[in-house]
Amino acid sequence: MLKIAVLGLALLVLGCQQREKVQERLPVPVKDTVATGFDSLVFENDTMKIFKIDSPQYLLRANLIKAKEDTLRYISDFQTVKKLLRDRVTFGTYDYDADSMIFDERGQQIALVRFNAGDTMSYHRQPAFTEIGFISYYPTEEVLVMEGGHTSDYSINLKTGTVGPELAGNPLYIVRSPKGTFQLTGWFPGQECSSYLLQKNNGDSYVFYSTFPDSVTDYGFDFCHMIGVYWVSEQEFYFRNTFFSATPDNRLGYFKVLIK
């Protein structure tokens, strides 16, 4: 009996090792510009094509690609960020009665931003600064994430001077292509569904490349929450589209994106 138990344990260990090896296999080559018979083109512009695909095609690629863990570090302690950015961002509390900024210790609204290139932007030039509060800071991306009305995202890229989530995105959403040529990112506009955009690496940082469409049908908000995003090449990625509601909906399903 002891020998049988030992043999069974050995087979169990071997089985685990074999499954681990399967997960680490490299993805099969993909022809970026050729759509299979299961693909249905749902959107095209000068920057991308979006196809709806069947679940087997998505799941096959998903099983072949080893998921990468999110490694983007962020700081959510306001006092730490305030000290870290003391020469770049001036915080305060906006006094609506006096129509001016109070520079107190606890104020988490923005009075002034100094970008890497030397340009500055104050709340006089950007009134939205008076209506947002601190959430987090991503040091590697040099992106400051703030919160607006209805818990919406507002972001500022200190490196590129990009202001606004529709261009700067929220690093929480970032999924990069294998070699980092492109990255998919997004932001929450405060109305249930997220919005998404593509950014391209210009050698020093990621800059806006294209807006991902919210709607491609009469439904509106066709792409609500992208989950299970994975890239198979520098110009092709797959994702699953989801909604809060569990009601069957033609907008749900699996999609492939080809970047031009």
Side-chain angles (χ1 to χ4, degrees):
M1 292 296 292
L2 180 59
K3 290 182 178 180
I4 295 176
V6 171
L7 178 60
L9 179 60
L11 290 174
L12 178 61
V13 172
L14 180 59
C16 292
Q17 292 173 339
Q18 289 175 336
R19 283 195 295 272
E20 197 171 67
K21 288 180 180 179
V22 169
Q23 292 175 347
E24 292 179 353
R25 286 186 299 176
L26 295 175
V28 295
V30 178
K31 294 182 179 180
D32 291 347
T33 58
V34 178
T36 71
F38 298 104
D39 297 346
S40 175
L41 181 67
V42 296
F43 177 83
E44 181 176 8
N45 64 11
D46 59 347
T47 61
M48 72 179 81
K49 289 183 179 181
I50 304 176
F51 299 88
K52 189 167 187 179
I53 62 175
D54 60 354
S55 58
Q57 186 179 169
Y58 171 89
L59 294 172
L60 172 63
R61 303 294 177 82
N63 290 332
L64 291 173
I65 294 179
K66 187 175 181 180
K68 294 182 179 179
E69 294 184 3
D70 182 11
T71 57
L72 290 179
R73 186 174 67 91
Y74 65 89
I75 306 171
S76 58
D77 181 75
F78 175 66
Q79 294 302 328
T80 299
V81 172
K82 188 174 181 179
K83 292 178 181 177
L84 184 65
L85 300 179
R86 61 183 177 273
D87 297 325
R88 306 172 69 187
V89 181
T90 302
F91 292 95
T93 301
Y94 187 72
D95 185 338
Y96 289 93
D97 292 329
D99 193 25
S100 62
M101 189 71 69
I102 301 171
F103 302 102
D104 58 352
E105 286 296 319
R106 294 179 297 176
Q108 297 187 18
Q109 295 169 321
I110 295 177
L112 180 72
V113 177
R114 298 175 180 85
F115 301 110
N116 287 18
D119 299 332
T120 62
M121 183 177 290
S122 72
Y123 70 94
H124 295 292
R125 180 179 164 193
Q126 189 60 260
F129 286 178
T130 66
E131 301 174 354
I132 55 178
F134 172 79
I135 297 179
S136 58
Y137 175 64
Y138 288 77
T140 57
E141 310 307 300
E142 297 190 55
V143 172
L144 184 63
V145 180
M146 310 289 285
E147 180 178 280
H150 301 285
T151 67
S152 60
D153 291 338
Y154 192 94
S155 51
I156 302 169
N157 191 314
L158 303 178
K159 180 185 293 186
T160 63
T162 304
V163 176
E166 67 280 0
L167 299 176
N170 182 341
L172 180 65
Y173 288 76
I174 288 176
V175 184
R176 286 182 177 146
S177 62
K179 296 181 181 179
T181 304
F182 289 95
Q183 66 181 22
L184 174 71
T185 186
W187 60 288
F188 181 63
Q191 299 294 328
E192 293 189 341
C193 293
S194 295
S195 294
Y196 295 86
L197 60 143
L198 288 167
Q199 295 174 328
K200 187 175 183 180
N201 192 335
N202 67 357
D204 178 59
S205 59
Y206 284 88
V207 296
F208 176 81
Y209 181 75
S210 178
T211 297
F212 205 89
D214 288 330
S215 301
V216 294
T217 70
D218 293 335
Y219 283 106
F221 285 107
D222 295 88
F223 302 115
C224 189
H225 295 289
M226 297 184 187
I227 64 172
V229 178
Y230 63 88
W231 292 77
V232 298
S233 73
E234 292 307 293
Q235 293 177 276
E236 180 175 353
F237 68 89
Y238 289 58
F239 69 92
R240 180 184 174 192
N241 188 39
T242 63
F243 289 84
F244 288 112
S245 173
T247 304
D249 192 312
N250 289 333
R251 295 171 293 177
L252 297 171
Y254 304 90
F255 295 84
K256 175 176 73 175
V257 180
L258 299 179
I259 302 174
K260 295 183 178 179

